[in-house]
Amino acid sequence: MNSKSSGRALDQDPPDDRSGGEHRIPPALAVVLAAVAYATLPSEIRFGPRLVVPGLELLLLMALLWTNPLRMNRHTRLSRAVSVVLACLIIAANLTGLGLLLATLPDEKASGTALLIGGMQVWLTGVIGFALLYWELDRGGPVARRRVTREELPPADWRFSQDENRETVAEVRASSSETAGWMPTFVDYAYMSLTNSSAFSPTDTMPLSARANV
């Protein structure tokens, strides 16, 4: 983690046209969707009281919204830790649900429709949880990716197609990382998580680090 982007709030002038900061709304809506999906799971594949895990997720989200209500313009070590804990909580609760789902499948008394819907909810929540984790970890996090020069960013964990488009035709090169200053946003990590959840090999985004391969 880069010392300039982790030890204090990042509020210095941005180096280029990425100055606006990434929108908070897409990841916030994803957290809300994950909380709703968990709260509505069938009782057979839900661990503990219905609202405990969703309540914790929304509580952590509120803390993050207090730091960056609309755009990701500043962070501290604490806010980054809370964001990672939130993603890990979603993933851990979802893996527990997946385990309970597998344990319930042989039960003849279980409702097939409920288990099918629950399986879809578990899959959706897994996509959201890993999207949030990827989004927070790669290149120092969403604030650093927008507010720190490329030379100061930590090494990338994933290589997107835009990162290697500089030698293509002009209309493709125009949106490349080098030409347009492109940086991945939550939507890009959500798409990567979605494709990874439905394939047994890397798709258009390649892992570059050991933790990205885990």
Side-chain angles (χ1 to χ4, degrees), residues 91-103:
I91 293 170
N94 192 62
L95 290 176
T96 302
L98 176 60
L100 293 174
L101 174 64
L102 295 176

Side-chain angles (χ1 to χ4, degrees), residues 27-83:
L29 289 179
V31 173
V32 173
L33 181 59
V36 171
Y38 187 88
T40 57
L41 281 174
S43 57
E44 295 89 347
I45 60 175
R46 189 181 63 250
F47 178 76
R50 182 178 298 276
L51 297 180
V52 170
V53 171
L56 289 174
E57 293 171 355
L58 295 178
L59 184 63
L60 293 173
L61 175 61
M62 289 176 61
L64 294 173
L65 288 174
W66 182 82
T67 303
N68 291 291
L70 294 177
R71 287 187 176 269
M72 306 291 297
N73 287 322
R74 61 189 302 272
H75 72 204
T76 63
R77 288 181 178 177
L78 178 60
S79 66
R80 286 209 68 200
V82 170
S83 187

Side-chain angles (χ1 to χ4, degrees), residues 155-177:
D157 291 297
W158 288 275
R159 185 187 69 201
F160 291 84
S161 58
Q162 289 88 342
D163 296 329
E164 50 189 21
N165 286 347
R166 63 179 180 178
E167 296 180 358
T168 56
V169 296
E171 62 272 24
V172 176
R173 185 171 64 249
S175 61
S176 70
S177 300

Side-chain angles (χ1 to χ4, degrees), residues 63-148:
L64 294 173
L65 288 174
W66 182 82
T67 303
N68 291 291
L70 294 177
R71 287 187 176 269
M72 306 291 297
N73 287 322
R74 61 189 302 272
H75 72 204
T76 63
R77 288 181 178 177
L78 178 60
S79 66
R80 286 209 68 200
V82 170
S83 187
V84 171
V85 168
L86 173 58
C88 291
L89 174 62
I90 294 174
I91 293 170
N94 192 62
L95 290 176
T96 302
L98 176 60
L100 293 174
L101 174 64
L102 295 176
T104 307
L105 287 178
D107 188 354
E108 296 181 355
K109 298 180 180 180
S111 168
T113 301
L115 293 181
L116 179 61
I117 295 174
M120 294 175 62
Q121 291 170 286
V122 167
W123 173 77
L124 173 64
T125 306
V127 171
I128 293 173
F130 282 102
L132 290 166
L133 189 62
Y134 299 157
W135 175 69
E136 184 57 51
L137 293 180
D138 189 33
R139 314 182 195 203
V143 176
R145 288 193 296 270
R146 291 285 185 133
R147 308 284 292 183
V148 176

